[in-house]
Amino acid sequence: MGGFKKFLLRGNIVELAVAVIVGATFSGLVQALVRDLVTPLIGAVTGGREPDFAQYSFTVNGSEFRYGDFLNHLISFLIIAAVVYWLVVLPMTRLVSLFDRNKEATTKQCPECLSDVPAEARRCAHCTVELVPRSEQPLA
């Protein structure tokens, strides 16, 4: 019982639970945005009706293949992916780049093995080649 209690109280499981809850809520928010704003906008552009392919199907040997429903889900996925990209990913990338602009590099690349090593290291931890710390490098 003690091991299970430790497992539940570890930071990773709590962070994962919070991420799942926030992700589910965010998913609902994005789906509502697409359903209530983006899809009607597409309908307005295409002549007043929203695209619906649910009735498209074909039959082979008595089996019905409803490819229209698949098309609806595919189009919905593409719209949601585009909305997330343009309204979440791009703004967050720009915001992170603003904060990283003045950040000084904390690592450098080893000239021999091309591994990342701390900027002030005197020897590479991977190949043990001697390095010149940044503070001792001549200005170019």
Side-chain angles (χ1 to χ4, degrees):
M1 189 67 162
F4 183 67
K5 183 178 176 183
K6 269 175 128 175
F7 170 73
L8 287 179
L9 295 178
R10 277 191 350 206
N12 294 347
I13 194 82
V14 174
E15 290 171 5
L16 179 62
V18 169
V20 168
I21 292 168
V22 169
T25 305
F26 184 72
S27 173
L29 178 68
V30 170
Q31 288 178 358
L33 173 73
V34 169
R35 180 181 58 243
D36 298 337
L37 298 175
V38 176
T39 304
L41 180 65
I42 292 171
V45 170
T46 60
R49 58 183 205 133
E50 298 170 8
D52 184 17
F53 304 106
Q55 304 305 318
Y56 292 4
S57 66
F58 63 90
T59 304
V60 175
N61 289 335
S63 295
E64 184 178 14
F65 294 86
R66 295 183 299 244
Y67 69 93
D69 188 50
F70 173 75
L71 286 176
N72 280 341
H73 283 86
L74 178 65
I75 291 169
S76 177
F77 169 77
L78 292 174
I79 292 170
I80 289 172
V83 167
V84 167
Y85 179 75
W86 279 305
L87 297 182
V88 177
V89 174
L90 280 182
M92 285 302 295
T93 303
R94 288 185 184 134
L95 185 64
V96 168
S97 70
L98 286 176
F99 287 121
D100 286 346
R101 188 177 294 169
N102 297 329
K103 189 176 177 182
E104 189 174 317
T106 58
T107 62
K108 62 182 177 184
Q109 211 172 36
C110 173
E112 291 294 318
C113 68
L114 303 177
S115 300
D116 288 335
V117 294
E120 296 300 319
R122 294 182 182 275
R123 190 173 291 275
C124 177
H126 303 280
C127 69
T128 69
V129 71
E130 285 193 45
L131 303 170
V132 178
R134 236 182 226 156
S135 58
E136 297 176 14
Q137 287 180 348
L139 296 174

